[in-house]
Amino acid sequence: MEYILIFIAAVFVNNVVLAQFLGICPFLGVSKKVDTALGMGAAVTFVLTIATIVTFLIQKYILDTFGLGFMQTISFILVIASLVQMVEIILKKVSPSLYQALGVFLPLITTNCCILGVAIMVIQKDYNLLQSIVYAISTAIGFALALVLFAGIREQLAMTNIPKGMKGTPIALITAGLLAMAFMGFSGIV
């Protein structure tokens, strides 16, 4: 039951993008097409899950053991940057079209505060390894869900007649705000 609550809270109630405002850059930048949003969601899911596992192990067995807690942020950033490089190499070989579609936003996963934020939150919440994995996967699913929903709405908005002053970023920000308000409806669940 505990893992189900972690899942529901991470995906709906405390959505990393819509409630905690982490990962806004790729949320706004890669959300013009659903296909690209799905690819970014999958890449973030992979990197977030692996990064959380690796950073958890580094924290528990190296940083805590040797009293190097002050090295947490820099070591986590190095792990995340390495994982993103690995994902970039794999995507370039496996799916060149997705690699091209993600463009500059793929390296931005390195600086995606969602990845680093989750790695640090797992330590702060004092989760064990299994809880950390569930939280990371759930957070990534929540990120991907918000990204795909937002991309779908933006695709629909592209086909409508929007006033000139509202086109582009203004309507995207208003839509993101409305989507965040919609997700607030889940706040009573957990």
Side-chain angles (χ1 to χ4, degrees), residues 27-104:
F27 179 72
L28 292 174
V30 188
S31 60
K32 292 181 181 168
K33 294 183 180 178
V34 173
D35 295 339
T36 310
L38 282 169
M40 177 60 96
V44 167
T45 301
F46 177 76
V47 171
L48 185 58
T49 305
I50 301 301
T52 300
I53 293 169
V54 173
T55 55
F56 178 88
L57 295 173
I58 287 172
Q59 179 73 37
K60 294 298 178 190
Y61 295 110
I62 296 173
L63 299 179
D64 288 348
T65 303
F66 297 108
L68 299 171
F70 62 91
M71 296 288 292
Q72 181 188 53
T73 304
I74 192 71
S75 60
F76 285 13
I77 289 171
L78 289 172
V79 167
I80 292 165
S82 302
L83 289 170
V84 170
Q85 285 299 113
M86 185 178 72
V87 168
E88 193 170 356
I89 291 167
I90 291 169
L91 270 182
K92 197 172 191 178
K93 291 187 188 289
V94 173
S95 179
S97 60
L98 180 59
Y99 175 79
Q100 290 293 342
L102 291 175
V104 71

Side-chain angles (χ1 to χ4, degrees), residues 152-167:
I153 293 170
R154 286 185 77 178
E155 280 186 358
Q156 290 297 313
L157 284 173
M159 295 185 285
T160 61
N161 188 14
I162 298 171
K164 184 179 178 185
M166 294 297 292
K167 287 186 178 182

